[in-house]
Amino acid sequence: KSADLIRDPVVFFLLVKQKGIENKIQAGDFRLSPSQSTESIAETLTHGVLDIWVTVPDGKRAEEIAAIFKEKLPSYEDSWEAVLKENEGYLFPDTYLIPRSVDSAFVIKLMRKNFEDHIVQLSKIQQTDPQLTTEQKVILASLIEREAKYADDKLKVASVIYNRLKLGMALQIDATVQYAVGYDTKEKSWWKHNLTIDDLKINSPFNSYTNTGLPPHPIGSPGFSSLTAAFQPAETDYLYYVSDAA
């Protein structure tokens, strides 16, 4: 009414009730025209929203994030996956309101800006190990995200990884092998649960059983609690951990 798209709110309300669509009208942005009839406007408000809510959970790798966008965004193209892969670990997991006609550059900018805003917060806390770069801490956070099942465990898991790095020990983190193995057709998952002896021997710079130090880049997108643990882990002498549902 305020935009002069309908003449009478009461008539519009009655029309919506008559068509039985009062519970189907969506929140969001729509492309409407004064040339549309009242009935057409009512119908448009039930679909064709210009912005779409998309949730990216913590710990997802680029291919999984690509699958989410493919499902949610009409403008998705197969070329997105490679671009998302180039930004592995820096695509902050969150719920985003995204225009349905965006390109990959818009999505990358949006998610990286969110990531950088959170890193600014973390840069203000006391650094446990100033010798590690921010990039290394993001890699470390991605390991914590996949390894620690509970939020309370993350600080301790972080301390174990730090302690092993300082001693030059192999990290022996299954998630790095899962990342190297890639998609498992039997389990239909990017994170193979039942790793074999051969899997643990896979020739990859991401295999933390056969290589010391951190992987070349993050193995997924860590959430804020994992990033926090990487920037300020617990202080322990632990070299081992168990973090599961048992």
XYZ file of all heavy atoms in Angstrom, residues 131-177:
368
model
N 54.567 -17.751 17.449
C 55.372 -18.233 16.340
C 54.518 -18.789 15.205
O 54.967 -18.862 14.061
C 56.351 -19.301 16.828
C 57.417 -18.758 17.780
C 58.416 -19.818 18.188
O 58.240 -20.991 17.906
N 59.470 -19.408 18.851
N 53.295 -19.191 15.514
C 52.392 -19.658 14.474
C 51.718 -18.464 13.811
O 51.258 -17.542 14.474
C 51.318 -20.584 15.054
C 51.741 -21.995 15.476
C 50.514 -22.798 15.878
C 52.474 -22.709 14.356
N 51.642 -18.491 12.508
C 50.974 -17.419 11.777
C 49.454 -17.591 11.874
O 48.954 -18.651 12.270
C 51.375 -17.439 10.300
O 50.884 -18.653 9.708
C 52.883 -17.356 10.147
N 48.742 -16.552 11.495
C 47.276 -16.647 11.472
C 46.842 -17.766 10.534
O 45.918 -18.537 10.851
C 46.653 -15.316 11.013
O 46.965 -14.300 11.962
C 45.140 -15.441 10.894
N 47.495 -17.893 9.388
C 47.148 -18.935 8.424
C 47.335 -20.323 9.040
O 46.506 -21.225 8.843
C 48.011 -18.810 7.165
C 47.686 -17.616 6.287
C 48.162 -16.281 6.889
O 49.046 -16.307 7.787
O 47.648 -15.236 6.461
N 48.405 -20.510 9.801
C 48.650 -21.803 10.453
C 47.590 -22.090 11.518
O 47.170 -23.234 11.699
C 50.052 -21.819 11.066
C 51.169 -21.882 10.029
C 52.542 -21.722 10.650
O 52.761 -20.879 11.525
N 53.488 -22.539 10.205
N 47.169 -21.047 12.213
C 46.138 -21.238 13.232
C 44.787 -21.589 12.613
O 44.007 -22.346 13.198
C 46.029 -19.978 14.097
C 47.240 -19.784 15.002
C 47.207 -18.456 15.733
C 48.494 -18.294 16.540
N 48.584 -16.979 17.213
N 44.534 -21.074 11.425
C 43.297 -21.438 10.725
C 43.353 -22.912 10.316
O 42.364 -23.643 10.442
C 43.086 -20.537 9.497
C 41.871 -21.012 8.694
C 42.889 -19.092 9.925
N 44.519 -23.362 9.842
C 44.686 -24.783 9.521
C 44.448 -25.620 10.771
O 43.708 -26.625 10.753
C 46.096 -25.054 8.961
C 46.304 -24.323 7.642
C 46.318 -26.562 8.780
C 47.726 -24.383 7.116
N 45.065 -25.210 11.873
C 44.920 -25.916 13.133
C 43.453 -25.947 13.566
O 42.940 -26.978 14.012
C 45.793 -25.241 14.194
C 46.132 -26.037 15.452
C 47.473 -25.576 15.998
C 45.073 -25.862 16.527
N 42.759 -24.843 13.389
C 41.338 -24.771 13.763
C 40.507 -25.742 12.940
O 39.547 -26.334 13.438
C 40.827 -23.345 13.581
N 40.864 -25.911 11.669
C 40.114 -26.843 10.827
C 40.297 -28.281 11.295
O 39.376 -29.104 11.167
C 40.542 -26.702 9.357
O 41.818 -27.254 9.108
N 41.455 -28.597 11.859
C 41.690 -29.933 12.425
C 40.865 -30.114 13.696
O 40.244 -31.165 13.898
C 43.177 -30.124 12.733
C 44.173 -29.892 11.590
C 45.590 -30.169 12.058
C 43.821 -30.759 10.389
N 40.872 -29.098 14.534
C 40.094 -29.141 15.779
C 38.614 -29.341 15.463
O 37.920 -30.130 16.122
C 40.292 -27.842 16.579
C 41.750 -27.679 16.994
C 39.383 -27.805 17.801
C 42.084 -26.301 17.527
N 38.126 -28.647 14.454
C 36.703 -28.714 14.088
C 36.274 -30.137 13.752
O 35.188 -30.580 14.144
C 36.436 -27.801 12.891
C 34.978 -27.666 12.528
C 34.160 -26.984 13.610
O 34.451 -25.835 13.947
O 33.230 -27.638 14.130
N 37.139 -30.858 13.051
C 36.790 -32.214 12.654
C 37.054 -33.228 13.759
O 36.413 -34.280 13.793
C 37.597 -32.623 11.423
C 37.356 -31.818 10.174
C 35.912 -31.795 9.721
N 35.260 -33.089 9.699
C 33.996 -33.293 9.323
N 33.260 -32.271 8.934
N 33.478 -34.487 9.341
N 37.973 -32.940 14.659
C 38.376 -33.918 15.667
C 37.608 -33.828 16.977
O 37.353 -34.844 17.620
C 39.882 -33.772 15.952
C 40.769 -34.292 14.843
C 40.706 -35.805 14.706
O 41.193 -36.513 15.598
O 40.157 -36.289 13.696
N 37.271 -32.634 17.411
C 36.612 -32.457 18.708
C 35.102 -32.525 18.541
O 34.513 -31.703 17.840
C 37.019 -31.127 19.341
N 34.482 -33.494 19.186
C 33.038 -33.677 19.045
C 32.254 -32.703 19.917
O 31.104 -32.407 19.639
C 32.663 -35.115 19.425
C 33.424 -36.179 18.672
C 33.203 -36.088 17.174
C 33.975 -37.162 16.433
N 33.854 -37.039 14.968
N 32.862 -32.235 20.987
C 32.160 -31.356 21.923
C 32.940 -30.062 22.111
O 34.176 -30.053 22.097
C 31.969 -32.054 23.276
C 31.272 -33.385 23.160
C 31.982 -34.572 23.274
C 29.904 -33.458 22.911
C 31.351 -35.800 23.152
C 29.258 -34.680 22.791
C 29.993 -35.846 22.910
O 29.366 -37.054 22.782
N 32.210 -28.991 22.317
C 32.835 -27.674 22.444
C 33.850 -27.633 23.587
O 34.913 -27.020 23.465
C 31.765 -26.611 22.643
N 33.529 -28.300 24.694
C 34.423 -28.270 25.854
C 35.754 -28.973 25.580
O 36.743 -28.735 26.269
C 33.740 -28.926 27.059
C 32.570 -28.102 27.581
O 32.469 -26.916 27.204
O 31.763 -28.639 28.354
N 35.759 -29.867 24.583
C 36.984 -30.611 24.284
C 37.962 -29.820 23.419
O 39.144 -30.156 23.353
C 36.645 -31.909 23.541
C 35.904 -32.911 24.410
O 35.934 -32.761 25.639
O 35.290 -33.844 23.846
N 37.481 -28.813 22.753
C 38.292 -28.171 21.714
C 39.565 -27.537 22.250
O 40.622 -27.607 21.605
C 37.444 -27.149 20.953
C 36.359 -27.799 20.119
C 35.576 -26.804 19.285
C 34.554 -27.527 18.416
N 33.777 -26.621 17.552
N 39.493 -26.922 23.424
C 40.687 -26.290 23.979
C 41.764 -27.325 24.293
O 42.958 -27.080 24.079
C 40.322 -25.509 25.251
C 39.338 -24.345 25.073
C 39.014 -23.718 26.424
C 39.906 -23.298 24.129
N 41.338 -28.510 24.770
C 42.298 -29.565 25.099
C 42.855 -30.229 23.844
O 44.041 -30.538 23.766
C 41.641 -30.604 26.006
C 41.268 -30.058 27.375
C 40.563 -31.109 28.221
C 40.148 -30.540 29.566
N 39.405 -31.526 30.389
N 41.986 -30.446 22.864
C 42.457 -31.005 21.598
C 43.468 -30.053 20.958
O 44.501 -30.479 20.433
C 41.267 -31.257 20.642
C 41.765 -31.574 19.229
C 40.395 -32.396 21.166
N 43.202 -28.772 21.045
C 44.140 -27.778 20.520
C 45.483 -27.884 21.223
O 46.541 -27.797 20.578
C 43.563 -26.375 20.695
N 45.455 -28.094 22.540
C 46.712 -28.185 23.289
C 47.519 -29.403 22.861
O 48.749 -29.349 22.769
C 46.436 -28.238 24.795
O 45.938 -29.504 25.201
N 46.838 -30.521 22.571
C 47.532 -31.730 22.122
C 48.220 -31.476 20.781
O 49.388 -31.845 20.583
C 46.547 -32.911 22.004
C 47.228 -34.101 21.319
C 46.038 -33.320 23.379
N 47.523 -30.826 19.881
C 48.103 -30.537 18.567
C 49.304 -29.609 18.707
O 50.367 -29.834 18.105
C 47.045 -29.920 17.629
C 45.913 -30.925 17.390
C 47.680 -29.509 16.301
C 44.760 -30.365 16.583
N 49.177 -28.580 19.529
C 50.303 -27.673 19.775
C 51.493 -28.430 20.364
O 52.641 -28.246 19.927
C 49.880 -26.560 20.740
C 49.379 -25.311 20.068
C 48.020 -25.016 20.019
C 50.263 -24.399 19.496
C 47.549 -23.857 19.413
C 49.811 -23.230 18.892
C 48.454 -22.975 18.849
O 47.998 -21.827 18.246
N 51.233 -29.275 21.346
C 52.314 -30.015 22.005
C 53.028 -30.938 21.022
O 54.259 -31.078 21.061
C 51.761 -30.811 23.187
C 51.304 -29.908 24.322
O 51.699 -28.746 24.408
N 50.458 -30.425 25.199
N 52.269 -31.590 20.156
C 52.873 -32.481 19.164
C 53.698 -31.689 18.145
O 54.776 -32.127 17.717
C 51.794 -33.300 18.458
C 51.308 -34.485 19.300
C 50.244 -35.309 18.591
N 50.052 -36.566 19.293
C 50.420 -37.767 18.832
N 50.979 -37.865 17.653
N 50.226 -38.862 19.551
N 53.188 -30.537 17.740
C 53.935 -29.707 16.799
C 55.284 -29.280 17.389
O 56.318 -29.312 16.711
C 53.119 -28.472 16.422
C 51.922 -28.675 15.487
C 51.134 -27.380 15.364
C 52.368 -29.164 14.113
N 55.259 -28.885 18.651
C 56.484 -28.415 19.300
C 57.526 -29.522 19.417
O 58.729 -29.268 19.369
C 56.150 -27.858 20.686
C 55.379 -26.547 20.647
C 54.994 -26.093 22.051
C 54.206 -24.793 22.005
N 53.754 -24.360 23.350
N 57.059 -30.775 19.566
C 57.970 -31.909 19.710
C 58.349 -32.525 18.368
O 59.157 -33.456 18.311
C 57.324 -32.983 20.595
C 57.133 -32.611 22.070
C 56.351 -33.698 22.798
C 58.480 -32.379 22.747
N 57.752 -32.032 17.286
C 58.043 -32.596 15.974
C 57.393 -33.938 15.741
O 57.836 -34.709 14.869
N 56.358 -34.246 16.506
C 55.643 -35.511 16.353
C 54.623 -35.430 15.215
O 54.092 -34.349 14.943
C 54.899 -35.879 17.654
C 55.779 -36.149 18.843
S 54.778 -36.465 20.350
C 53.887 -37.963 19.853
N 54.388 -36.554 14.589
C 53.304 -36.614 13.604
C 51.981 -36.403 14.329
O 51.771 -36.932 15.425
C 53.315 -37.962 12.884
N 51.095 -35.629 13.743
C 49.826 -35.319 14.403
C 48.891 -36.520 14.431
O 48.091 -36.676 15.352
C 49.134 -34.142 13.696
C 49.904 -32.820 13.698
C 49.084 -31.745 12.993
C 50.240 -32.390 15.124
N 48.974 -37.382 13.426
C 48.165 -38.607 13.338
C 46.672 -38.306 13.554
O 46.017 -38.897 14.411
C 48.660 -39.651 14.348
C 50.082 -40.107 14.070
C 50.545 -41.222 14.988
O 50.149 -41.289 16.156
N 51.393 -42.091 14.480
N 46.171 -37.392 12.761
C 44.761 -36.985 12.844
C 43.991 -37.601 11.684
O 44.293 -37.353 10.510
C 44.653 -35.448 12.825
C 45.233 -34.877 14.123
C 43.218 -34.994 12.622
C 45.263 -33.368 14.181
N 43.004 -38.420 12.013
C 42.244 -39.141 10.994
C 41.597 -38.201 9.981
O 41.482 -38.530 8.802
C 41.156 -39.998 11.648
C 41.722 -41.234 12.334
O 42.938 -41.480 12.215
O 40.946 -41.966 12.991
N 41.157 -37.033 10.448
C 40.459 -36.102 9.554
C 41.333 -35.679 8.377
O 40.824 -35.423 7.284
C 39.993 -34.878 10.330
N 42.641 -35.605 8.584
C 43.526 -35.230 7.476
C 43.559 -36.328 6.418
O 43.633 -36.050 5.221
C 44.962 -34.951 7.972
O 45.519 -36.157 8.536
C 44.979 -33.862 9.019
N 43.500 -37.577 6.866
C 43.468 -38.700 5.933
C 42.120 -38.727 5.203
O 42.060 -38.974 3.998
C 43.716 -40.035 6.671
C 43.623 -41.214 5.703
C 45.073 -40.013 7.362
